Amino acid sequence: MEHDHSSDALPEDVERSEYWTDLLGGNDASLSSLQRAMRRLPSPPRCKLCYAPFSGPYAPVLRLLGFRRWALNQQICRFCVRDLEKHSGGAEVEVSVLYVDVRGSTRAAEDMNPRAFSEGLRRYLAVVSGDVDDEQGVIDHMAGDGVMAMWIPAFVGPEHPQNALSAAVKIASDVADAVARGDGWPAGVAVHTGPAYVGVVGEPGSRDFTVLGDTANTVARLSGGAEAGEVVLSGAMVDATRIDPSSLERRVLSLKGKNEPFDAWVWSVGNEAPSIRSEVTPP
């Protein structure tokens, strides 16, 4: 009896969803092989997805092969984007997100000439970008002095909440140090973790790699509850990093779009950094 293979074939949208789920969840075998190979080549900075080096002795050859920075997100190479655009779309995965913005930037803009304001913004963004990069995060977008960054399993593995929280503490501390030196701006930081839609959005020629959904919206709103020198953590972030919240200040926030009060925990610069535990249990 002849078997009908039509029932075995997955619809294109299902195939794409599985592709994205495997890729963003860190379960894509071909990407894992490429990452292992690229790790052997010096040197950073690298593509956040495939780890191709953007500098060093192999970078010129890799650029010729398409491993050059993507114009819309300089942290990802065009080779990865080319592959992603063949499978445009995304998937819902666990993601950790960070949002930081300056306190009093409107007043600062009023009190400074445009050139001085621009230079101050450049220094601030350099600090934020550097700390995100150190913890293997990707800048999702910059809007004025507001910066959102994301960590997903494909970039850093299952311990993305730990990386996001470490970046938040570094940013708050480094920005506070700059303020103390007289060459920085005060800022508040928030971190959250949860399911989100991650993928390539937009039309051909103007696509972007981004994170969408309630998790991203929540962290942006949480940042409004962070005073200068503070990191606001959601309860989900506290649970995911398994830190002891007894050393943090508990704060109940009213967030736009949320019907119920939102429990949050706050770490302040000057206090001992939260003890971030690994999710990996020793044998």
Side-chain angles (χ1 to χ4, degrees):
M1 179 176 176
E2 184 176 351
H3 180 66
D4 181 5
H5 293 280
S6 62
S7 62
D8 295 341
L10 291 172
E12 185 179 0
D13 58 343
V14 176
E15 290 179 345
R16 287 182 177 179
S17 177
E18 291 184 347
Y19 165 83
W20 276 96
T21 300
D22 287 344
L23 180 71
L24 299 176
N27 299 315
D28 184 85
S30 59
L31 176 62
S32 297
S33 297
L34 183 59
Q35 288 173 335
R36 287 194 294 271
M38 290 297 184
R39 277 196 183 103
R40 299 189 180 98
L41 305 179
S43 61
R46 300 176 179 273
C47 171
K48 294 293 186 179
L49 194 53
C50 72
Y51 302 155
F54 291 134
S55 65
Y58 294 95
V61 175
L62 289 173
R63 283 196 292 269
L64 292 175
L65 297 175
F67 295 92
R68 61 176 66 244
R69 293 181 186 269
W70 183 29
L72 295 179
N73 192 318
Q74 296 283 305
Q75 301 157 97
I76 302 172
C77 75
R78 290 182 62 190
F79 183 89
C80 287
V81 174
R82 181 184 64 180
D83 192 45
L84 292 175
E85 288 188 338
K86 293 177 184 177
H87 306 272
S88 59
E92 184 175 294
V93 296
E94 290 294 318
V95 60
S96 295
V97 284
L98 173 154
Y99 196 90
V100 53
D101 59 353
V102 171
R103 299 292 172 257
S105 59
T106 302
R107 175 66 60 85
E110 291 176 350
D111 296 341
M112 301 170 67
N113 66 59
R115 176 171 292 182
F117 182 82
S118 176
E119 176 59 24
L121 181 62
R122 184 196 65 77
R123 291 196 301 267
Y124 156 77
L125 294 176
V127 169
V128 173
S129 298
D131 288 341
V132 167
D133 188 67
D134 286 347
E135 292 297 330
Q136 304 304 309
V138 170
I139 299 294
D140 179 77
H141 69 266
M142 297 181 179
D145 57 71
V147 181
M148 180 175 285
M150 63 177 172
W151 286 258
I152 62 176
F155 296 153
V156 293
E159 296 191 1
H160 50 88
Q162 286 85 340
N163 291 74
L165 181 53
S166 292
V169 170
K170 286 182 180 180
I171 290 169
S173 301
D174 290 345
V175 168
D177 288 344
V179 171
R181 294 193 304 268
D183 64 352
W185 293 342
V189 191
V191 280
H192 183 37
T193 189
Y197 182 87
V198 180
V200 172
V201 298
E203 297 301 316
S206 61
R207 285 176 171 157
D208 195 9
F209 184 68
T210 190
V211 56
L212 302 170
D214 182 67
T215 298
N217 294 337
T218 296
V219 77
R221 291 164 183 161
L222 268 178
S223 71
E227 301 295 334
E230 291 183 344
V231 175
V232 173
L233 297 78
S234 67
M237 179 59 72
V238 170
D239 292 342
T241 54
R242 298 190 296 163
I243 62 174
D244 181 3
S246 64
S247 61
L248 307 176
E249 173 195 346
R250 186 172 183 178
R251 192 174 294 173
V252 180
L253 303 174
S254 296
L255 303 184
K256 182 180 178 180
K258 299 289 185 182
N259 295 325
E260 301 294 332
F262 197 92
D263 287 335
W265 283 259
V266 182
W267 175 83
S268 299
V269 171
N271 294 333
E272 184 177 354
S275 178
I276 303 172
R277 288 177 286 182
S278 170
E279 292 182 356
V280 178
T281 303

